[in-house]
Amino acid sequence: LESIQHIDERILYLIHVTCGTAWQDSFIPFLRNPYFWSPVYLFLLLWMWRNHGKQGLWWCVFFIVTFAFCDFISASMFKPFVHRLRPC
């Protein structure tokens, strides 16, 4: 277990110290914000509906159901058992 933690620390050090730049510190928080991606999802849903008609509408329904199901699974089933503290 200690060797796995050591490997994890080395990888995180590599990512955050040697690969980090100043512009990433200001840009990455936007990518983590869920509202940043809302226009992309909305465009994708409208594009599928408009260009593929009824089949695109079914795709939109399954997209929304899949998104809701994955969010439910991760938030209520996995998160309580992992107990990993998140920085945000």
Side-chain angles (χ1 to χ4, degrees):
L1 187 62
E2 288 182 22
S3 64
I4 294 174
Q5 182 155 353
H6 178 69
I7 292 170
D8 186 42
E9 289 172 358
R10 297 288 294 168
I11 291 172
L12 287 174
Y13 180 81
L14 175 71
I15 292 170
H16 291 291
V17 176
T18 59
C19 297
T21 60
W23 71 269
Q24 290 173 336
D25 291 338
S26 61
F27 182 67
I28 297 298
F30 288 112
L31 296 178
R32 291 178 39 205
N33 186 348
Y35 298 114
F36 178 83
W37 294 102
S38 297
V40 176
Y41 296 141
L42 182 62
F43 170 77
L44 186 60
L45 290 172
L46 291 175
W47 183 78
M48 285 298 290
W49 183 18
R50 181 178 171 120
N51 288 330
H52 298 286
K54 189 175 181 180
Q55 185 179 5
L57 188 59
W58 278 110
W59 185 90
C60 293
V61 168
F62 285 118
F63 177 81
I64 292 169
V65 168
T66 301
F67 181 79
F69 182 71
C70 290
D71 186 53
F72 170 75
I73 294 291
S74 67
S76 61
M77 297 180 92
F78 290 144
K79 198 172 190 177
F81 296 109
V82 173
H83 301 292
R84 178 164 178 150
L85 296 176
R86 302 297 295 177
C88 54

